[in-house]
Amino acid sequence: MADSSFDIVSKVERQEVDNALNQAAKEISQRYDFKGVGASISWSGEKILMEANSEDRVKAVLDVFQSKLIKRGISLKALDAGEPQLSGKEYKIFASIQEGISQENAKKVAKIIRDEGPKGVKAQVQGEELRVSSKSRDDLQAVIALLKGKDFDFALQFVNYR
């Protein structure tokens, strides 16, 4: 019997992020507490730019955006938001969306699978993803449960289960 396998990836649906950003922009334009503070959120190249005239307001813009991401099923671990910076009279926060598992993080996950997972499960790094394979599908389910129980500082998805 052939080995069963699945891939561990860290991907974000760009369209969902775009939808969350548009929803946040609409809410910011309509909410009373954002009137007259110059609050805005938009794409700036590959980064997301949030602006307002006070540090508290720009943090509130970030909070609105985070709530929209959660509603759309995107992990906040994928959002890398910087600190508010004063630029002229405006405060700005630049945020980026993290995708892919770095080599060192992939090695950490592979080590956890080796040390704590069932015997006979193999994990190999393939670029920005990790392929986990085993003869037993039950062992693969156990690995997924093990990894879901761990708290990583990056988002994980399990795809191509076969």
Side-chain angles (χ1 to χ4, degrees):
M1 185 175 145
D3 282 6
S4 299
S5 69
F6 68 89
D7 294 334
I8 301 172
V9 297
S10 181
K11 287 194 164 80
V12 176
E13 191 69 43
R14 173 81 175 196
Q15 186 61 50
E16 290 296 324
V17 175
D18 210 30
N19 291 342
L21 187 129
N22 291 334
Q23 286 178 337
K26 185 173 183 179
E27 182 173 323
I28 289 163
S29 71
Q30 293 174 344
R31 264 181 41 180
Y32 178 76
D33 57 335
F34 287 119
K35 292 281 186 243
V37 296
S40 69
I41 182 169
S42 61
W43 284 104
S44 173
E46 282 297 305
K47 293 192 182 272
I48 298 161
L49 171 64
M50 292 161 262
E51 297 178 301
N53 65 2
S54 75
E55 189 171 347
D56 291 341
R57 289 291 93 203
V58 79
K59 285 182 178 176
V61 170
L62 175 62
D63 192 47
V64 168
F65 181 54
Q66 287 176 335
S67 72
K68 299 301 178 193
L69 287 174
I70 290 169
K71 282 184 183 172
R72 301 207 68 88
I74 298 170
S75 171
L76 292 183
K77 293 176 182 177
L79 181 70
D80 181 24
E83 290 299 309
Q85 301 167 338
L86 184 62
S87 172
K89 292 182 179 179
E90 296 245 308
Y91 280 88
K92 295 182 179 185
I93 294 179
F94 284 99
S96 60
I97 302 295
Q98 301 293 330
E99 286 196 300
I101 302 174
S102 70
Q103 288 288 336
E104 64 188 50
N105 286 338
K107 287 178 184 170
K108 280 185 208 167
V109 173
K111 182 169 175 18
I112 289 171
I113 292 170
R114 249 192 336 272
D115 296 347
E116 300 175 32
K119 299 286 177 244
V121 175
K122 297 185 284 295
Q124 65 231 63
V125 178
Q126 296 179 333
E128 292 188 337
E129 58 186 45
L130 195 68
R131 164 86 30 101
V132 181
S133 57
S134 171
K135 294 214 181 297
S136 163
R137 287 180 166 236
D138 292 342
D139 288 351
L140 293 181
Q141 293 289 346
V143 168
I144 291 175
L146 168 75
L147 294 177
K148 282 186 176 176
K150 299 283 182 194
D151 187 32
F152 296 104
D153 55 352
F154 52 96
L156 290 180
Q157 291 89 30
F158 306 100
V159 297
N160 295 340
Y161 185 83
R162 47 176 161 315

